[in-house]
Amino acid sequence: MASGFASVPPATKKSILVLYSERGDLPAIEAVEENMRQVFHASASPQIELFSEYLDFARFPAEQYERSLVRYLQERYTGRQIDLVIPVAGFSLEFALSHRELFPGAPLVFCAIDKRELEKVRLPADATGITAHFDIERTVKLILQLQPGVPEIVCVSGNSGFDQRWAEETRKIMERFRSRVRARWITDKSLAETIDEVSRVPRKSAVLFVSMLRDGAGQSTSSVDAVRDLARVSKAPVYGVSSQFLEAGVVGGAMFDFGLNGRRTAELALKTLRGQWIPYGAPETESQNLLLVNWQALKKAQLPESRVPADAEVRLRPPELWETHRTFILAVAGAIILQAVLIAGLMVERFWRRKAEASLRQSEERMSLAAEAANLGLWVLDVGRNEIWMTDKGRTLLGFTPDERVDYQALTERVHPEDRAARDIAIKGALETKGEYAVEYRVVLPDGGLRWIGARGHCMNDGDTKRTRLLGVSMDVTAQKLAQDALRESEARFSTLADIAPVMIWMSGTDKLCTYLNKGWLEFTGRSLERQLGNGWADGVHSEDLKSCLEVYLNSFDARNPFTMEYRLRRRDGEYRWVLDSGGPRFAPDGRFLGYIGSCIDITERKQAQDRFRLVVEDSPNGIVLVDAQSQIVLVNASIEKFFGYRREELVGQSIELLLPELFRSEDPAHPASFHATPAVLAIGAERELFVRRKDGIEFPIEIRLSHIQSQEGVLALTVIVDISARKKAEAEARQYREELTRLGRVEILGEMAASLAHELNQPLTSIMNNASAGRRFIAKGRATTVKIDGLLESVIADARRAGEIIRGIRSMVRKGEEARTFVNLNNIIAEVVLFVRSDAVERQCAIETDLDPKLPIIKANPVLLQQVLLNIIINAFDAMREISAPERRVIIRTECELSGSVRVSVRDFGTGLPLEDPERIFEYFFSTKRDGLGIGLAIVRSIIASHGGEVAAVNAEGRGACVYFSLPIRQEVAA
């Protein structure tokens, strides 16, 4: 689907410039020029005006004279339209490619360019030509066949750039034959010195002449002249690789024919100008090297002709006697033959007739044998006699028995009715034109089966119309026909599938031009198939995308690599739509490259969604980071730059660890090792504080939400970062307020219990005072004994301890401080609270009953806060029973272990109960059922229980009263 050479119809007259790399008097250049001139002179459409320039790079290297040469060509051809340029051999192609500005728009058709040089350059789409190749390897094999056991091959080459390149190639090839023959080189000597050294080469050795446009002393020469001098003085046979060397005295070689290469290049140039483009790499562009042997040089070297390979062509053989005295011999032979005819007469005629018949039978038998071996049936149709002779194989193919008589009518009846007319027309045409006959038809076999027959033949006429015969062969082509039908069916299936596919499908050939577009493409673009084949599809590509689109395609095509690219393509309504084009190379089962195939899908909506996504990401108040599978940052938004103090370019491509402080790198769930380990969406930081570090080293708290998204680059981790510094500050202030409120709640409870606490504290103090007074009286009356005094002191100590415990309880309830949790048993805490409220219960005439589970597991909690919870609930229970008669005032406290892994505490009273419409409101702040209540006690209860991971609830009990209960989780390390 890339731009190739844009063919144009030939004009009546065209101008061609030939750039010869060397001077014009070299035999190879002369051969190329002469053959080109002949071809161009014979062309009538278009007529050719031929220009020639001889660059002579061997004597004037391009690196020294290139500027002068360019200036010369500019001045000479300014104002003249050059329609085609032909670089010939050597560096001419490299020069032409480097200076295309000299002849803009002119395609290149090169001649005799070494394949290795073509591998070093990148040919443009409008360049083609005929390659040159010196077949060194076949020439060395010829030497080894003609001279088995040859001890040494002396390789001779010059010092020009052309000479050195082929000398280097020859060295590589000679290395392969190192185990069979020794190689010696003569490259750095003058021509005279080279001739002298070659003259001393032993007869048993061989000399391989490669090329010499400049000898080792820097003197320009001709390869043909040089090899002629060497062949003249050498005792050893001399071999070469160019057909021009044959008449100079070399024995032979796999020879490149410069003249033939020039002729084929001229023919290719004419096809190009006529719009028949043949790309480089096609079979027509390959060079052909014939294996040639010089008969005269072979005899001079005393080499037996029997060693000449069968595929070699022997030339320069001297004419035989027949060729030099043909007229005389013919005259004598004519007289002798005439006499023999007159003398022998009728006697000889019969003899030759019988001999001819026998020879004909032998020939027919040999032909039948060959036809049988090739699975062919031979036949001869004698038109005058209406007889058909046919081999046994032919009869088998057509379903005739060996003894069955076959004539034209019998054969016609065997042909399928639908194919008879076409067969009769083909036979009639051959008879009328005395020409060729070729047709394929079906025959109906005796068993009803069908067989495809391919028949070819030609008409023979002995001069007598009654002896007109049609000779030919028949073969079974059923398998080929079935294969062709299967191929057509396969192509039809592909076309149907391609047309119903929800994508646009295209195909291109080896010339990079589009050869197929499916229905989806045509409907999308709204243009006909003819307008879009070749390069026409590119007319719909947006001008801003065309250059990059073609560049991706051409680079991938040349490398035979798959590609994916995005560009805008014009839809039938004129709107340009973004498409994703994916293509890959096609290969035949034998590995032969066939071209490319690809598909396009409309991704406009996806591109728009991506643009909207970028807008949303960029404008988000939260920080957004996109991390790839290697934990590298691929995208950040403006909020990330604001949060962390980094510029965007400093983060993209860096590891995500850059944003994590050292403290959290081993435990943070957002650590790179875990970014792609969890497929589900994660909420990180909800129950723990995570910290990240700014560029200036300051850490701040964040909340991270991580999710995985699938993209063309693989799985990416989308991380949303929320700066929770302000929220954490607000939470800390709220926590401080709650703690103060909780402490105030405890103070309120103590205020409500002040009288009871005073009474409770008064009892041990009164007892202490009474015991102390009793001791003084015993002492005053002289009745104080050690036992009595010790008993009184023990009572004083016990009462003092009792008073101390009451005071410590009050202090712990009202003091400020950090929350401390320890392992506690709820039964013990309940016992302490019951003892604490005992006086209040007595004063309120309330009975307290406990039903405590002796196997209750211990939990980890703050005992002071749990005491506050129980005090709030119990005091509220006392208050709920104010209006109830004294005998019915009871509070039941129960503990039990739940199956869910929690311990449950319930406090049941027999008071007025809870509001029926919404009993859970009692846990709300500032809601109270008491006239003088603040409405914070039970709200604090819920807050404390929630902070311990538990739950609290209240329900109306059966009969009367309410039940408030809470549950707390058992710590796993304790349960274990």
Side-chain angles (χ1 to χ4, degrees), residues 278-474:
I278 298 177
Y280 168 67
E284 296 91 328
T285 65
E286 296 292 331
S287 62
Q288 300 174 355
N289 292 20
L290 297 177
L291 193 62
L292 302 179
V293 173
N294 183 340
W295 187 88
Q296 297 176 2
L298 191 72
K299 294 303 180 182
K300 176 185 175 183
Q302 300 179 4
L303 298 175
E305 191 173 351
S306 59
R307 293 178 184 172
V308 175
D311 59 340
E313 179 183 346
V314 179
R315 295 184 179 179
L316 302 181
R317 190 189 299 271
E320 299 179 353
L321 182 63
W322 164 256
E323 295 175 351
T324 55
H325 303 284
R326 179 180 302 176
T327 304
F328 178 76
I329 292 174
L330 286 175
V332 173
I336 294 174
I337 292 173
L338 181 59
Q339 291 178 3
V341 170
L342 294 175
I343 295 172
L346 297 174
M347 294 177 59
V348 178
E349 180 182 358
R350 186 176 181 183
F351 169 77
W352 283 111
R353 182 183 301 165
R354 290 181 177 178
K355 189 173 182 180
E357 290 175 352
S359 177
L360 179 61
R361 284 195 299 271
Q362 291 177 0
S363 176
E364 289 176 346
E365 289 175 359
R366 285 196 297 270
M367 287 180 63
S368 296
L369 237 113
E372 291 287 340
N375 205 25
L376 299 174
L378 298 179
W379 52 264
V380 179
L381 170 62
D382 191 325
V383 179
R385 297 179 181 178
N386 190 23
E387 293 180 354
I388 296 179
W389 172 85
M390 192 176 297
T391 62
D392 291 342
K393 182 62 179 178
R395 290 176 172 269
T396 302
L397 289 176
L398 299 174
F400 292 107
T401 60
D403 55 353
E404 187 175 358
R405 184 180 183 279
V406 181
D407 57 15
Y408 190 82
Q409 181 63 30
L411 185 58
T412 301
E413 291 176 355
R414 191 57 52 88
V415 177
H416 194 284
E418 296 178 0
D419 299 338
R420 290 175 185 173
R423 175 180 171 275
D424 288 342
I425 292 173
I427 293 177
K428 184 179 179 181
L431 293 174
E432 290 178 351
T433 61
K434 303 297 187 288
E436 299 291 330
Y437 157 75
V439 69
E440 291 182 350
Y441 56 88
R442 290 166 292 176
V443 295
V444 182
L445 302 176
D447 60 1
L450 290 178
R451 176 176 293 155
W452 275 97
I453 299 296
R456 297 184 64 87
H458 66 276
C459 185
M460 292 185 62
N461 195 328
D462 298 334
D464 184 1
T465 57
K466 295 183 179 179
R467 294 305 306 271
T468 299
R469 293 181 295 170
L470 196 64
L471 286 73
V473 296
S474 297

Side-chain angles (χ1 to χ4, degrees), residues 4-177:
F5 169 64
S7 61
V8 295
T12 57
K13 190 172 184 179
K14 295 288 184 178
S15 297
I16 295 178
L17 172 63
V18 184
L19 297 176
Y20 295 98
S21 64
E22 304 300 336
R23 63 185 190 272
D25 60 346
L26 294 181
I29 300 299
E30 290 176 345
V32 172
E33 186 173 23
E34 175 61 21
N35 280 270
M36 280 190 180
R37 187 191 61 76
Q38 293 176 6
V39 173
F40 291 142
H41 180 72
S43 174
S45 177
Q47 295 179 0
I48 301 301
E49 184 177 8
L50 192 63
F51 299 92
S52 300
E53 297 293 344
Y54 305 93
L55 307 182
D56 201 359
F57 284 139
R59 295 187 295 181
F60 302 97
E63 56 269 18
Q64 299 179 18
Y65 299 97
E66 184 170 2
R67 291 185 179 178
S68 300
L69 193 56
V70 169
R71 190 164 52 250
Y72 160 74
L73 293 175
Q74 284 176 334
E75 294 175 355
R76 182 163 188 175
Y77 293 97
T78 297
R80 184 179 295 276
Q81 174 66 35
I82 297 297
D83 299 296
L84 187 140
V85 177
I86 302 179
V88 179
F91 293 101
S92 60
L93 176 61
E94 184 176 342
F95 176 82
L97 289 175
S98 299
H99 301 287
R100 296 296 300 274
E101 74 279 359
L102 292 173
F103 313 104
L108 299 178
V109 180
F110 51 81
C111 172
I113 300 297
D114 183 5
K115 276 186 176 180
R116 295 171 303 159
E117 294 302 315
L118 292 173
E119 293 173 357
K120 299 177 183 178
V121 299
R122 181 175 180 179
L123 286 179
D126 60 346
T128 186
I130 309 297
T131 59
H133 178 64
F134 286 174
D135 199 340
I136 306 295
E137 184 173 1
R138 287 178 64 203
T139 302
V140 174
K141 288 180 179 179
L142 176 66
I143 295 174
L144 297 178
Q145 185 164 347
L146 293 179
Q147 296 178 250
V150 59
E152 180 184 57
I153 296 178
V154 179
C155 302
V156 178
S157 178
N159 202 25
S160 72
F162 182 85
D163 302 335
Q164 291 175 352
R165 286 199 304 275
W166 278 108
E168 180 185 354
E169 179 70 14
T170 305
R171 289 180 190 274
K172 294 178 181 177
I173 293 173
M174 291 302 302
E175 185 66 21
R176 303 174 194 168
F177 296 91

Side-chain angles (χ1 to χ4, degrees), residues 605-816:
E605 284 74 16
R606 190 177 79 184
K607 294 279 285 188
Q608 293 172 349
Q610 290 173 350
D611 293 339
R612 289 193 293 268
F613 173 75
R614 291 190 186 95
L615 286 175
V616 171
V617 167
E618 195 62 27
D619 294 341
S620 173
N622 299 327
I624 296 178
V625 182
L626 206 59
V627 181
D628 63 15
Q630 287 73 42
S631 301
Q632 303 295 316
I633 299 172
V634 297
L635 180 144
V636 296
N637 68 344
S639 295
I640 289 295
E641 295 180 292
K642 178 181 177 183
F643 290 171
F644 291 90
Y646 288 99
R647 295 194 310 276
R648 193 168 312 204
E649 53 270 22
E650 294 179 283
L651 293 175
V652 174
Q654 298 296 322
S655 171
I656 188 64
E657 292 189 60
L658 177 65
L659 304 180
L660 296 177
E662 294 291 337
L663 180 61
F664 294 98
R665 286 188 176 171
S666 62
E667 63 182 76
D668 190 355
H671 188 270
S674 66
F675 260 94
H676 296 275
T678 307
V681 176
L682 300 178
I684 307 174
E687 296 183 0
R688 58 177 291 186
E689 291 185 356
L690 299 180
F691 286 86
V692 292
R693 178 178 295 144
R694 289 174 49 84
K695 184 178 181 180
D696 56 13
I698 299 175
E699 296 183 2
F700 62 95
I702 62 167
E703 182 178 271
I704 298 178
R705 291 196 177 274
L706 173 67
S707 62
H708 293 153
I709 58 176
Q710 190 72 36
S711 71
Q712 293 180 350
E713 294 81 13
V715 178
L716 300 178
L718 178 64
T719 307
V720 180
I721 299 177
V722 181
D723 185 352
I724 58 173
S725 301
R727 191 177 79 190
K728 284 295 181 181
K729 181 179 179 181
E731 288 176 354
E733 293 176 353
R735 185 166 54 252
Q736 183 179 355
Y737 294 150
R738 285 197 301 272
E739 291 175 356
E740 185 65 22
L741 190 60
T742 302
R743 191 181 70 82
L744 291 176
R746 294 197 295 270
V747 172
E748 181 193 14
I749 295 173
L750 292 177
E752 294 179 1
M753 298 175 61
S756 298
L757 291 173
H759 176 73
E760 188 71 20
L761 187 59
N762 189 50
Q763 286 182 351
L765 293 176
T766 302
S767 177
I768 290 172
M769 186 177 65
N770 291 338
N771 287 326
S773 298
R776 290 182 66 185
R777 286 196 299 271
F778 285 146
I779 293 172
K781 294 179 180 180
R783 293 186 296 174
T785 64
T786 304
V787 176
K788 289 181 178 181
I789 296 300
D790 184 62
L792 291 173
L793 290 176
E794 284 184 2
S795 297
V796 169
I797 292 171
D799 290 333
R801 283 176 180 165
R802 169 66 179 154
E805 289 176 356
I806 294 171
I807 294 172
R808 280 195 298 274
I810 296 171
R811 289 183 60 193
S812 65
M813 291 286 286
V814 299
R815 73 183 175 187
K816 296 181 181 179

